[in-house]
């Protein structure tokens, strides 16, 4: 079966892919496409990845001779990352492959009903405020401004007012005779403030003129475990001259003191030198059937299961002189017999004969 997956030229912004399957025919309209993530072991559904098998409709399907050409949209393309191992089933025909790295995700499609439809709520009208004019006053009840002004003042009232005025004059004279102690308190307060300011100018400025000595910078912290045990990446890299095996044993003993990126760089350095143990270790990282406890579990350097790549590294390790890689390659070849994708078939042909 020949399968070709490429970007849809009609959608240069991405989000659409063209899948051509030789020997397949459209069994329904629209054509249902089932996508299985071999790494996550889940099917793609309308709401995302799920354990149960589901089909999503193709955006277009044409029969070109003996080949079926499908167009799939963002509901499928945007959920897949490059080099993801997938199985695609269409009309009872299925095939395993890796999702290409030249198909870009596109913008999410608009969902019908997101905009409008319910109608705008009318604005409430502001109430009209009516200012009522006062009722006119009848002429027969209007007041005369001169009413009450001609009232005579009783002589007793005048005498009472004169007595109050005399009392006020007595109080004013007594207030003038009181000591002006309030002014004295204010003067004393001003003198105290002046003394404080003078003291600051004489002594405080001298202290401020003398700069404080800067505190010594703290010494950089260094991992005691790394220094004592030689677990920093530089020290481990220098051990490559003694052979990758000695360095790898030290790396395993360092455990979590080494980061996954640091460990990967050390293994890549050994593989670049065509070291048999380094190539064998790379194959184990891609082989789900083999577990490197310290490297994968403690340090955290792990890869997704990829038997085709594992077989390639095991074959290179055998050519470099590894005997352990032979049994591991045989086990991977048995797994490749169950694979139908192009990469697995190529690896099986190159390394499992």
């Amino acid at each position: 079966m020949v399968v070709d997956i490429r970007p849809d030229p009609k959608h240069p912004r991405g989000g659409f892919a063209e899948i051509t399957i030789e020997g397949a025919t459209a069994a329904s309209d629209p054509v249902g496409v089932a996508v299985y993530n071999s790494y996550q072991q889940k099917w793609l559904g309308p709401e995302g990845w799920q354990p149960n098998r589901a089909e999503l409709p193709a955006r277009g399907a044409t029969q070109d001779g003996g080949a079926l050409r499908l167009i799939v949209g963002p509901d499928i393309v945007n959920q897949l990352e490059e080099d993801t191992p997938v199985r695609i089933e269409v009309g009872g025909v299925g095939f395993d492959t890796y999702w290409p790295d030249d198909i870009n995700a596109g913008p999410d499609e608009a969902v019908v009903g997101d905009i409008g439809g319910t109608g705008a709520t009318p604005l409430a009208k502001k109430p009209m405020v009516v200012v009522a004019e006062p009722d006119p006053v009848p002429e027969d009840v209007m007041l005369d401004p001169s009413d009450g002004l001609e009232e005579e003042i009783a002589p007793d009232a005048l005498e009472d007012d004169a007595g109050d005025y005399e009392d006020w004059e007595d109080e004013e004279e007594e207030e003038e005779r009181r000591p002006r102690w309030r002014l004295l308190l204010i003067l004393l307060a001003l003198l105290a403030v002046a003394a404080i300011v003078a003291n600051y100018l004489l002594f405080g400025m001298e202290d401020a003129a003398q700069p404080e000595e800067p505190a010594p910078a703290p010494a950089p912290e260094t991992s005691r475990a790394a220094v004592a045990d030689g677990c920093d990446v530089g020290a481990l890299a220098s051990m490559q001259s003694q052979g990758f095996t000695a360095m790898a044993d030290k790396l395993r003993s360092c455990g979590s003191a080494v980061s996954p990126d640091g460990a990967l760089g050390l293994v890549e350095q050994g593989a670049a030198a065509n070291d048999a143990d380094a190539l064998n270790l790379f194959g184990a990282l891609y082989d789900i059937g083999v577990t490197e406890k310290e490297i994968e579990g403690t340090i955290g350097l792990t890869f997704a299961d990829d038997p085709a790549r594992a077989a390639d590294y095991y074959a290179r390790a055998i050519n470099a002189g590894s005997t352990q890689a032979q049994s591991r390659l045989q086990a991977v070849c048995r797994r490749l017999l169950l694979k139908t994708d192009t990469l697995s078939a190529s690896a099986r042909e190159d390394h499992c004969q």
Side-chain angles (χ1 to χ4, degrees):
M1 176 183 295
V2 179
V3 179
D4 180 63
I5 305 177
R6 63 182 61 189
D8 183 11
K10 295 182 180 179
H11 296 83
R13 295 178 60 189
F16 289 80
E18 180 182 276
I19 303 176
T20 303
I21 309 172
E22 296 287 346
T25 58
S28 61
D29 185 19
V31 177
V33 181
V35 181
Y36 179 74
N37 189 317
S38 303
Y39 178 70
Q40 297 183 358
Q41 298 183 354
K42 292 184 178 181
W43 295 89
L44 182 59
E47 304 297 330
W49 296 104
Q50 60 186 38
N52 299 325
R53 186 182 184 277
E55 292 186 354
L56 299 174
R59 303 304 176 91
T62 56
Q63 199 73 39
D64 186 6
L68 175 62
R69 183 173 288 106
L70 302 174
I71 301 297
V72 295
D75 52 344
I76 294 178
V77 174
N78 289 1
Q79 300 295 328
L80 296 174
E81 299 180 356
E82 61 181 40
D83 296 331
T84 300
V86 296
R87 177 174 179 82
I88 300 178
E89 297 181 357
V90 179
V93 177
F95 59 91
D96 294 283
T97 186
Y98 287 88
W99 190 252
D101 58 1
D102 57 349
I103 301 178
N104 299 322
D108 294 332
E109 297 178 301
V111 180
V112 176
D114 280 354
I115 302 176
T118 59
T121 302
L123 295 176
K125 295 183 178 179
K126 294 184 178 179
M128 181 179 296
V129 180
V130 179
V131 180
E133 296 182 357
D135 295 334
V137 180
E139 296 181 358
D140 55 349
V141 297
M142 294 186 66
L143 300 177
D144 185 356
S146 62
D147 288 349
L149 296 180
E150 298 178 356
E151 182 180 356
E152 295 183 358
I153 300 176
D156 295 339
L158 293 176
E159 293 179 359
D160 293 339
D161 291 340
D164 293 339
Y165 179 75
E166 292 177 357
D167 294 338
W168 175 76
E169 286 184 341
D170 295 339
E171 292 178 359
E172 186 177 6
E173 292 177 357
E174 184 178 355
E175 182 68 24
E176 290 179 354
R177 290 193 298 268
R178 291 177 181 176
R180 303 185 182 277
W181 54 270
R182 292 190 181 91
L183 180 59
L184 180 60
L185 291 177
I186 294 174
L187 292 175
L188 292 176
L190 291 175
L191 291 174
V193 172
I196 293 174
V197 172
N199 182 68
Y200 172 76
L201 293 176
L202 291 175
F203 303 103
M205 295 296 291
E206 295 180 359
D207 296 338
Q210 298 178 358
E212 296 183 358
E213 296 183 0
E221 296 184 359
T222 305
S223 174
R224 296 181 178 178
V227 174
D229 300 335
C231 290
D232 58 288
V233 176
L236 291 171
S238 65
M239 293 183 63
Q240 296 275 16
S241 60
Q242 306 175 21
F244 180 83
T245 302
M247 188 281 299
D249 291 340
K250 182 64 177 179
L251 175 63
R252 292 184 175 92
S253 66
C254 288
S256 59
V258 182
S259 67
D261 291 339
L264 177 60
L266 295 170
V267 179
E268 287 178 339
Q269 184 178 356
N274 201 38
D275 185 274
D277 290 341
L279 295 169
N280 187 37
L281 177 56
F282 248 131
L285 294 176
Y286 283 109
D287 187 358
I288 196 174
V290 178
T291 301
E292 287 285 345
K293 182 178 178 182
E294 293 82 3
I295 303 296
E296 296 183 86
T298 306
I299 298 178
L301 177 58
T302 59
F303 296 150
D305 181 48
D306 192 338
R309 293 186 182 181
D312 181 69
Y313 277 108
Y314 285 150
R316 292 172 58 187
I318 293 172
N319 293 334
S322 174
T323 57
Q324 186 183 37
Q326 295 179 356
S327 60
R328 293 183 175 181
L329 178 60
Q330 293 175 359
V332 169
C333 287
R334 287 194 293 270
R335 293 175 55 203
L336 289 174
L337 291 174
L338 304 177
K339 301 288 184 178
T340 59
D341 60 279
T342 304
L343 293 178
S344 296
S346 177
R348 186 170 59 248
E349 181 178 353
D350 292 341
H351 308 303
C352 300
Q353 300 298 331

